[in-house]
Every structure is written in C-alpha cells, then in structure tokens.
C-alpha cells in the first residue's frame, strides 16, 4: 500500500528586504522536501489567496501584491523571469524525490523569489502558500 507523506523546511519563506521594483534574481530562497512515506514524491504548489498583504488574510492594508509576483523553480540559479509564477490553482511540480530505501534521506529543493511591483507601499507582506505531497511516478522512485 502506498503511503504518501513528506516534510518541507523551512516552514516560512522570508524574501528579505527588497526595494520597489527589485526581485530575488536569481531565485535564491530554498525549500527542501523529504519523503516521510514509502513512495517517491512530487508536490502540488498553490497560494491560498490572490494577494500578499500587510494584514493577511483580511488584505485591507498596504498595497496588495498579486501572488503571481512570487515565482519558483526546480533548478538552482533560475532567473526571476524564468521562474514559474505562483497561482491559486494547484500546479504539480515534478520534484521526483526518491523514496527512502537506506539511512540516507533523499531530498529535493525548490527555489523561490518575488518582485516588488511599482507603487507598493513599504511594509511586511504575508500570504499563505501550500505544498501538497502527491505520489510521484513509480519510474521516478
């Protein structure tokens, strides 16, 4: 029987202090995923709301930043422009994390970044992104 499970660290993405118009370029914030079940893993990535705000989740403060300004990639040194824009629709990322078969725990990373749109009021912006673990293709275990 397949048991799909995983763990991703860190639990929060801190993009750092960026000026208006600036971006994490290349994407430089990483999340590391490891399997906790008995199958290989991919992940489904999505945002829970359409904007990041200074008072998430009411989103009545600051200048809402559309979540499409967050980008992710499956390879190091990916430019911001080449990253995949975040969406409120789950998108499967082919991480292909192997299942654990020895004392060595397999892992894979995703690289993240954001661009701050012109006209954004300074502040600490928050949102909620979700990674859901899905069973990877058996050939990728």
């Amino acid at each position: 029987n397949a048991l799909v499970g995983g763990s991703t660290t860190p639990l929060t993405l801190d993009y750092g202090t960026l000026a208006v118009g600036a971006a994490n370029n290349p994407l430089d914030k990483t999340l590391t995923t490891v399997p906790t079940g008995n199958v290989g893993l991919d992940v489904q990535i999505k945002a829970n709301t359409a904007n990041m705000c200074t008072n998430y989740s009411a989103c009545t403060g600051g200048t809402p930043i559309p979540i499409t300004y967050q980008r992710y990639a499956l390879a190091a040194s990916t430019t911001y422009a080449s990253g995949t824009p975040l969406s409120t629709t789950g998108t499967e990322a082919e991480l292909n994390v192997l299942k654990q078969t020895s004392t060595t725990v397999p892992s894979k990373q995703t690289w993240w970044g954001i661009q701050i749109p012109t006209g954004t009021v300074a502040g600490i912006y928050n949102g909620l992104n979700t990674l859901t673990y899905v069973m990877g293709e058996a050939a990728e275990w």
Side-chain angles (χ1 to χ4, degrees):
N1 291 335
L3 176 62
V4 179
S7 174
T8 300
T9 55
L11 295 177
T12 60
L13 279 170
D14 183 346
Y15 293 122
T17 301
L18 296 169
V20 171
N24 300 89
N25 190 24
L27 305 179
D28 63 350
K29 306 305 177 189
T30 58
L31 295 179
T32 301
T33 298
V34 299
T36 59
N38 63 0
V39 297
L41 292 180
D42 291 331
V43 293
Q44 188 174 69
I45 299 173
K46 73 173 198 155
N48 281 12
T49 59
N51 296 298
M52 294 176 63
C53 303
T54 56
N55 64 337
Y56 179 83
S57 69
C59 211
T60 57
T63 309
I65 299 174
I67 50 93
T68 54
Y69 281 81
Q70 290 182 76
R71 307 250 174 127
Y72 64 92
L74 303 181
S77 302
T78 300
T79 64
Y80 175 83
S82 296
T84 301
L86 191 58
S87 169
T88 55
T89 302
T91 303
E92 186 171 338
E94 293 292 331
L95 277 184
N96 299 323
V97 181
L98 300 174
K99 68 179 181 177
Q100 185 172 350
T101 59
S102 70
T103 57
T104 302
V105 180
S107 67
K108 290 284 180 94
Q109 290 185 310
T110 50
W111 286 262
W112 292 77
I114 192 170
Q115 182 178 40
I116 308 303
T118 302
T120 301
V121 174
I124 298 173
Y125 286 77
N126 295 294
L128 179 62
N129 300 341
T130 303
L131 275 66
T132 303
Y133 307 108
V134 295
M135 185 166 54
E137 297 76 17
E140 302 295 335
W141 296 359

